[in-house]
Amino acid sequence: QVQLVESGGGLVQAGGSLRLSCAASGRTFSSYSMGWFRQAPGKEREFVGGITWGAESPYYDDSVLGRFTISRDNAKNTVYLQMNSLKREDTAVYYCAISTSYASRYPPDFGSWGQGTQVTVSS
């Protein structure tokens, strides 16, 4: 079982940047695809972006395309979410999750989840 811990959330002004990290325990991190999701109050959890196990193909929801970048360092068992040009509507709890499915966007395909980190974007 892989355990995930997110960090890097906080309060930022609109237009600013944050970098989230997701540290994974376990020896098979490199075999999994990783996803980032977010959930705002009163809304369903939504897909933000993901990266395949070989890191050859990051993929994103249209709402963050061009602003967010996902990368991974398998040697450090860590995946990153660089968020630039943040908007108020990006405010949410952000979760990382792990999947054996290739390039999935669907929460049921992700078997392990972190506890989440709050991102708040002020105007």
Side-chain angles (χ1 to χ4, degrees), residues 31-97:
S31 300
Y32 296 98
S33 291
M34 301 296 297
W36 284 97
F37 295 79
R38 64 187 181 187
Q39 188 167 18
K43 296 187 177 181
E44 293 187 355
R45 190 169 298 187
E46 63 177 11
F47 173 77
V48 174
I51 189 164
T52 56
W53 48 76
E56 68 276 10
S57 301
Y59 52 104
Y60 305 94
D61 184 79
D62 287 347
S63 64
V64 304
L65 191 62
R67 299 189 297 122
F68 291 10
T69 302
I70 295 174
S71 60
R72 68 189 294 166
D73 185 337
N74 287 341
K76 296 182 178 180
N77 281 5
T78 301
V79 63
Y80 303 98
L81 178 64
Q82 177 67 44
M83 305 185 294
N84 298 328
S85 303
L86 283 161
K87 305 175 181 179
R88 287 191 64 185
E89 51 264 44
D90 295 318
T91 295
V93 177
Y94 283 71
Y95 300 88
C96 65

Side-chain angles (χ1 to χ4, degrees), residues 10 26 28 33 75 78 89 97 105 115 122:
T28 58
S33 291
T78 301
E89 51 264 44
R105 300 169 179 256
Q115 83 289 348
S122 64

